Amino acid sequence: IGSDAILVDGIRNELVRVEAATGRMKWRLPVDEPFAEPIVLSRKIIVPLTTGQLLEVNPDDGRSTRRVTLPQPLQAAPGTDSQRPVLYVACEHSNLYVLSEDTLECEEVFYLGHAPGTVDVPPVASMGHVLVVENAGADYSRLHVVATDASGLSLRRAQEPIRLQGHVVVAPARVGRRVIIVTNLGAIYLFE
């Protein structure tokens, strides 16, 4: 959105756009319920509500233009794919949903099998794969690797989950062909 900043007021459950140069507020959107970290796309902002809804917000005026309801609560933001117009949403348990970025319609549901409340960070799409981290045990997590087709659909398990030392509480970083994952126990993993 140029040089402006999108701010989250977690106390009042509001989304705010301010001018970076002056700090002047351009708009404020009361969401009226808790939400996870919003994602800023080219011409829209997606706000994941913990009740299982996604709000599409116009970044120019702060109006909510569309809302979609998923069948489960959300803890983390959707993952985006820089090559395809899809969103990957890991709901509270079991399933990974693929939504159209343009319409927010569900295009596919994939059974991942994660336990309730174990996905705290957005899925990461990279090079025809979607990586989903499940904080599975007291001191470990599992990295699920899901392959996609050229359109980002036709999900299938690419391999058995990879065990990671510690929990992942900070979103993995995608750098080119690589994905960097850091855990709360100080383990650093680099996947290509």
Side-chain angles (χ1 to χ4, degrees), residues 23-56:
R24 185 179 67 84
M25 182 178 67
K26 285 195 167 182
W27 53 256
R28 177 182 300 273
L29 175 66
V31 179
D32 299 327
E33 61 183 274
F35 56 94
E37 179 180 345
I39 56 173
V40 178
L41 302 171
S42 61
R43 292 305 313 147
K44 64 180 85 174
I45 301 168
I46 303 294
V47 182
L49 307 182
T50 56
T51 56
Q53 296 182 12
L54 294 176
L55 292 181
E56 180 181 287

Side-chain angles (χ1 to χ4, degrees), residues 81 84 88 128-130 146-156:
D81 189 328
R84 299 167 197 88
Y88 296 100
H129 291 83
V130 179
V146 180
T148 72
D149 65 9
S151 65
L153 300 171
S154 299
L155 275 60
R156 62 200 178 282

Side-chain angles (χ1 to χ4, degrees), residues 138-191:
D139 62 352
Y140 72 95
S141 51
R142 286 192 285 254
L143 176 65
H144 296 271
V145 182
V146 180
T148 72
D149 65 9
S151 65
L153 300 171
S154 299
L155 275 60
R156 62 200 178 282
R157 190 170 304 280
Q159 65 186 62
E160 288 300 310
I162 301 167
R163 187 178 172 123
L164 307 176
Q165 179 186 9
H167 285 180
V168 177
V169 294
V170 175
R174 180 179 51 217
V175 182
R177 298 174 50 96
R178 295 179 175 94
V179 175
I180 302 168
I181 298 175
V182 179
T183 73
N184 65 342
L185 295 181
I188 301 172
Y189 295 90
L190 175 67
F191 296 95

